[in-house]
Amino acid sequence: MSKTILSVKNLKKLYKNNRGVQDITLSLDEGDVVGLLGPNGSGKTTAMKAIMGMTSVDNGEIRIFNHDIDTDFEAAIQNVGCLIEAPALYENMTAYQNLKLAARFYPNMSRSETHDRINHVMRLVNLEKYANDKAGRFSLGMKQRLGIALALLSCPKLVILDEPTNGLDIEGVVHIRDVVTDMAKSGGASFLIAGHVASELEKMCNKAAIIYDGQLMAFESMDKILESHPSLEDYFLETVAHQRRHVTGI
Amino acid sequence: MKLITANLKNESAKIFAHKKYIVFMIIEVIICIGAVCSKLLAARLSNGMLTMSNISTSITMMSLFFEAVIPFISIMAVCELFSAEFHSKTIRSIFVRPAERYKVYIGKISAVLILAVINMAVVFIASSAADFAVSGKVVSFGYSLSAYILDIIPMLVVILMAVMLNQIVKSSTMAMFLCIIVYAGLKVMGISFSSLSGLVFTGYMQWHKIWLGGGMPYLAASFKALLLLGYGLTFGAVGYYIFRFKEC
């Protein structure tokens, strides 16, 4: 039986404008690659921010590796890497320095391990040539790659990525997809990946969660989805159309 | 403790990635050398009538640096580490790491305090060295050193005030403006209203005068120490409360 890595129960977070998420319940097992599919403004980023403890929640329980994110933050987040919205980079510092700042939060890594690990993640995202260039001079795609490198730096067992292929060219998209698939298969890492491009998530994920208007519409394995539908996109459209009919009564 | 140290190193690295803080220190050295040169020049022009060889430059420099320059530099660093990070959302890179917010908060404040102490040390060393180079002696070295060490405490209170104000506003420019206005306002208030001067913490930027003056007024000194402690705890606690729940 696979181990539950992330468990979200009845998550509710509403902003002043009444947007946000409510009644989100999902769980992620070891080795899972879960795609969180939804249109812009559906609540994907809010859900991810709540999971990472970046925002307070109105209701619900979030546990990562069986540690409550609210009461046991450090233990919960110890083996988690994430990239939410745009990469948070210090633009007046080099790519290497940005990674080094992040590495200091993992005191168990020795100096040589840190150096090796930084070089490894730089190679993984094809940025090794630009290690000593300032992040402010990077293109959008390069910044995104550096953001992914920051998320993978600590050898996380759970990786949360919000639209990770934003700003990447076709080769970059394929490359990041391969990195995710390899890490999930060989490294045993689990991924929660948000996106609004169904075809992309279909290729990467073994489970899909449909989020619409702040609510979780469906959470299903990719095999089951593709048994009954030609693609994840069709499944998404059908689920959303069903919800609209339910709301409008037409 | 390891995470506070790690964060302190990170915040210090961020501060010194800005070259302006090095430039400020160079300017401080130039001002100290200039002050000693002007002292020498005054003595020469007056044919020895005006002699200031028994006045310590490091002490005379304190009014300028401890009342205005170093608080300004510290406020600038606070704005960069707090409101500017929230504004540019780079604070996320810290909040997604396994460190409780109070550790992040302490790390940031410590980094700014270290910057202030380094600036104080630069002024002290530069003025003492310039004094020694010109007159071959350093006047009241022990007194000056004690004064510089004692004045770290009111500087910490100013830093904590700036940190608290930084939690209220979103823009770093606005935060900088607000901190300067409040600091300058309190200074002016302390000077203009004598009844308030003893209660406003900005009046104690050179509180070494209370401790190192002739005849130690124990009761008054303890009262001032408690007053500064009260201000420091209030600013620190209110600032942390807002920082703890701030979203990014």
Coordinates of all heavy atoms in Angstrom, one line a residue, chain B residues 142-182:
Chain B
G142 N 39.1 54.6 25.6 CA 38.2 53.7 26.4 C 36.8 54.3 26.5 O 35.8 53.6 26.3
Y143 N 36.7 55.6 26.7 CA 35.4 56.3 26.8 C 34.7 56.2 25.5 O 33.5 55.8 25.5 CB 35.7 57.8 27.2 CG 34.4 58.6 27.3 CD1 33.7 58.7 28.5 CD2 33.9 59.2 26.1 CE1 32.5 59.4 28.5 CE2 32.7 59.9 26.2 CZ 32.0 60.0 27.4 OH 30.8 60.7 27.4
S144 N 35.4 56.4 24.4 CA 34.8 56.4 23.1 C 34.3 55.0 22.8 O 33.1 54.8 22.3 CB 35.8 56.8 22.0 OG 36.3 58.0 22.3
L145 N 35.1 54.0 23.1 CA 34.7 52.6 22.8 C 33.5 52.2 23.6 O 32.5 51.7 23.0 CB 35.9 51.7 23.1 CG 35.7 50.2 22.8 CD1 35.5 50.0 21.3 CD2 36.9 49.4 23.3
S146 N 33.5 52.6 24.9 CA 32.3 52.3 25.7 C 31.1 53.0 25.2 O 30.0 52.4 25.1 CB 32.5 52.7 27.1 OG 33.7 52.3 27.6
A147 N 31.2 54.3 24.7 CA 30.1 55.1 24.2 C 29.5 54.4 23.0 O 28.3 54.3 22.8 CB 30.6 56.5 23.9
Y148 N 30.4 53.9 22.1 CA 30.0 53.3 20.8 C 29.2 52.0 21.1 O 28.2 51.7 20.5 CB 31.2 53.0 19.9 CG 31.5 54.2 19.0 CD1 32.1 55.3 19.5 CD2 31.3 54.1 17.6 CE1 32.4 56.4 18.7 CE2 31.6 55.2 16.8 CZ 32.1 56.3 17.3 OH 32.4 57.4 16.5
I149 N 29.7 51.2 22.1 CA 29.1 50.0 22.4 C 27.7 50.2 23.1 O 26.7 49.6 22.7 CB 30.0 49.1 23.4 CG1 31.2 48.6 22.6 CG2 29.2 47.9 23.9 CD1 32.3 48.0 23.5
L150 N 27.6 51.2 24.0 CA 26.3 51.5 24.6 C 25.3 52.0 23.6 O 24.1 51.7 23.8 CB 26.6 52.6 25.7 CG 27.1 52.1 27.1 CD1 27.5 53.3 27.9 CD2 26.0 51.3 27.8
D151 N 25.7 52.7 22.7 CA 24.7 53.3 21.7 C 24.2 52.4 20.7 O 23.4 52.7 19.8 CB 25.4 54.6 21.0 CG 25.4 55.7 22.0 OD1 24.9 55.6 23.1 OD2 26.1 56.8 21.7
I152 N 24.6 51.1 20.8 CA 24.1 50.1 19.9 C 22.6 49.8 20.3 O 21.7 49.6 19.4 CB 24.9 48.7 20.0 CG1 26.3 48.9 19.4 CG2 24.1 47.6 19.3 CD1 27.2 47.8 19.6
I153 N 22.3 50.0 21.6 CA 21.0 49.7 22.1 C 19.9 50.6 21.5 O 18.9 50.1 20.9 CB 20.9 49.6 23.6 CG1 21.8 48.4 24.1 CG2 19.5 49.5 24.2 CD1 22.2 48.4 25.5
P154 N 20.1 52.0 21.6 CA 19.0 52.8 21.0 C 18.9 52.6 19.5 O 17.9 52.7 18.9 CB 19.5 54.2 21.3 CG 20.8 54.1 21.9 CD 21.0 52.8 22.4
M155 N 20.1 52.2 18.9 CA 20.1 51.9 17.4 C 19.2 50.7 17.1 O 18.4 50.7 16.1 CB 21.5 51.7 16.9 CG 21.7 51.8 15.4 SD 21.3 53.4 14.8 CE 22.8 54.3 15.3
L156 N 19.2 49.7 18.0 CA 18.3 48.6 17.8 C 16.9 48.9 17.9 O 16.0 48.4 17.2 CB 18.7 47.5 18.9 CG 17.8 46.2 18.9 CD1 17.9 45.5 17.6 CD2 18.2 45.3 20.0
V157 N 16.6 49.9 18.8 CA 15.2 50.3 19.0 C 14.7 51.0 17.7 O 13.6 50.8 17.2 CB 15.0 51.2 20.2 CG1 13.6 51.7 20.4 CG2 15.4 50.5 21.5
V158 N 15.6 51.8 17.1 CA 15.2 52.5 15.8 C 15.0 51.4 14.8 O 14.0 51.5 14.0 CB 16.3 53.5 15.4 CG1 16.1 54.0 14.0 CG2 16.4 54.6 16.4
I159 N 15.8 50.4 14.7 CA 15.7 49.4 13.7 C 14.3 48.7 13.9 O 13.6 48.4 13.0 CB 16.8 48.4 13.8 CG1 18.1 49.0 13.3 CG2 16.6 47.1 13.0 CD1 19.4 48.3 13.6
L160 N 14.0 48.4 15.2 CA 12.7 47.7 15.5 C 11.5 48.5 15.1 O 10.5 48.0 14.6 CB 12.6 47.3 16.9 CG 13.6 46.1 17.3 CD1 13.6 46.0 18.9 CD2 13.2 44.8 16.7
M161 N 11.6 49.9 15.3 CA 10.6 50.8 14.9 C 10.4 50.7 13.4 O 9.3 50.6 12.9 CB 10.9 52.2 15.3 CG 9.8 53.2 14.9 SD 10.5 54.9 14.7 CE 11.4 54.8 13.3
A162 N 11.5 50.8 12.7 CA 11.4 50.7 11.2 C 10.8 49.4 10.7 O 10.0 49.4 9.8 CB 12.8 50.9 10.6
V163 N 11.2 48.3 11.4 CA 10.7 47.0 11.0 C 9.2 47.0 11.2 O 8.4 46.5 10.3 CB 11.3 45.9 11.9 CG1 10.6 44.5 11.7 CG2 12.8 45.7 11.5
M164 N 8.7 47.5 12.3 CA 7.2 47.6 12.6 C 6.5 48.4 11.5 O 5.5 47.9 11.0 CB 7.0 48.1 14.0 CG 5.5 48.1 14.4 SD 5.2 49.0 15.8 CE 5.3 50.7 15.2
L165 N 7.1 49.6 11.2 CA 6.4 50.4 10.2 C 6.4 49.8 8.8 O 5.5 50.0 8.0 CB 7.1 51.8 10.1 CG 7.0 52.7 11.4 CD1 7.8 53.9 11.2 CD2 5.5 53.0 11.6
N166 N 7.4 48.9 8.6 CA 7.5 48.3 7.3 C 6.4 47.2 7.1 O 6.1 46.8 6.0 CB 8.9 47.6 7.1 CG 9.8 48.4 6.3 OD1 10.1 48.2 5.1 ND2 10.4 49.5 7.0
Q167 N 5.9 46.7 8.2 CA 4.8 45.7 8.1 C 3.5 46.4 7.7 O 2.5 45.7 7.3 CB 4.6 45.0 9.4 CG 5.9 44.4 10.0 CD 6.7 43.6 9.1 OE1 6.2 42.8 8.3 NE2 8.0 43.9 9.1
I168 N 3.4 47.7 7.9 CA 2.1 48.4 7.7 C 1.9 48.8 6.3 O 0.8 48.7 5.7 CB 2.0 49.7 8.6 CG1 2.2 49.3 10.1 CG2 0.7 50.4 8.4 CD1 2.4 50.4 11.0
V169 N 3.0 49.2 5.6 CA 2.8 49.6 4.2 C 3.4 48.6 3.2 O 4.2 47.8 3.6 CB 3.5 51.0 4.0 CG1 2.7 52.1 4.6 CG2 4.9 51.0 4.5
K170 N 2.9 48.6 2.0 CA 3.3 47.6 1.0 C 4.5 48.1 0.2 O 5.4 47.3 -0.1 CB 2.1 47.3 0.1 CG 1.1 46.4 0.7 CD 0.0 46.0 -0.2 CE -1.0 45.1 0.5 NZ -2.2 44.9 -0.4
S171 N 4.5 49.4 -0.2 CA 5.6 49.8 -1.0 C 6.8 50.2 -0.2 O 6.7 50.8 0.9 CB 5.1 51.0 -1.8 OG 6.1 51.9 -2.0
S172 N 8.0 49.8 -0.8 CA 9.2 50.0 0.0 C 9.6 51.5 0.0 O 10.1 52.0 1.0 CB 10.4 49.3 -0.6 OG 10.6 49.6 -1.9
T173 N 9.2 52.3 -1.1 CA 9.4 53.7 -1.1 C 8.6 54.4 0.0 O 9.1 55.2 0.7 CB 9.0 54.3 -2.5 OG1 9.5 53.4 -3.5 CG2 9.6 55.6 -2.7
M174 N 7.3 53.9 0.1 CA 6.4 54.5 1.1 C 6.9 54.2 2.5 O 6.9 55.0 3.4 CB 5.0 53.9 0.8 CG 3.9 54.5 1.6 SD 3.7 56.2 1.2 CE 2.8 56.8 2.6
A175 N 7.4 52.9 2.6 CA 7.9 52.5 3.9 C 9.1 53.4 4.4 O 9.2 53.8 5.5 CB 8.3 51.1 3.9
M176 N 10.0 53.6 3.4 CA 11.2 54.4 3.6 C 10.8 55.9 4.1 O 11.3 56.4 5.0 CB 12.0 54.5 2.4 CG 13.3 55.2 2.4 SD 14.6 54.2 3.2 CE 15.8 55.4 3.4
F177 N 9.8 56.4 3.3 CA 9.3 57.7 3.5 C 8.7 57.8 4.9 O 9.0 58.7 5.7 CB 8.3 58.1 2.5 CG 7.7 59.5 2.5 CD1 8.5 60.6 2.2 CD2 6.4 59.7 2.9 CE1 8.0 61.8 2.3 CE2 5.9 60.9 2.9 CZ 6.7 62.0 2.6
L178 N 7.9 56.8 5.2 CA 7.2 56.8 6.5 C 8.2 56.7 7.7 O 8.1 57.4 8.7 CB 6.2 55.6 6.6 CG 5.4 55.4 7.8 CD1 4.4 56.6 8.0 CD2 4.6 54.1 7.8
C179 N 9.2 55.8 7.6 CA 10.2 55.7 8.6 C 10.9 57.0 8.9 O 11.1 57.4 10.0 CB 11.2 54.6 8.3 SG 10.4 52.9 8.3
I180 N 11.3 57.6 7.8 CA 12.1 58.9 7.9 C 11.2 59.9 8.6 O 11.7 60.7 9.5 CB 12.7 59.3 6.6 CG1 13.8 58.3 6.2 CG2 13.3 60.7 6.7 CD1 14.4 58.5 4.8
I181 N 10.0 60.1 8.1 CA 9.1 61.1 8.7 C 8.9 60.8 10.1 O 8.9 61.8 11.0 CB 7.7 61.0 7.9 CG1 7.9 61.6 6.5 CG2 6.6 61.8 8.6 CD1 8.1 63.0 6.4
V182 N 8.6 59.6 10.5 CA 8.3 59.3 11.9 C 9.6 59.5 12.8 O 9.5 60.2 13.8 CB 7.9 57.8 12.1 CG1 7.8 57.4 13.6 CG2 6.5 57.6 11.5

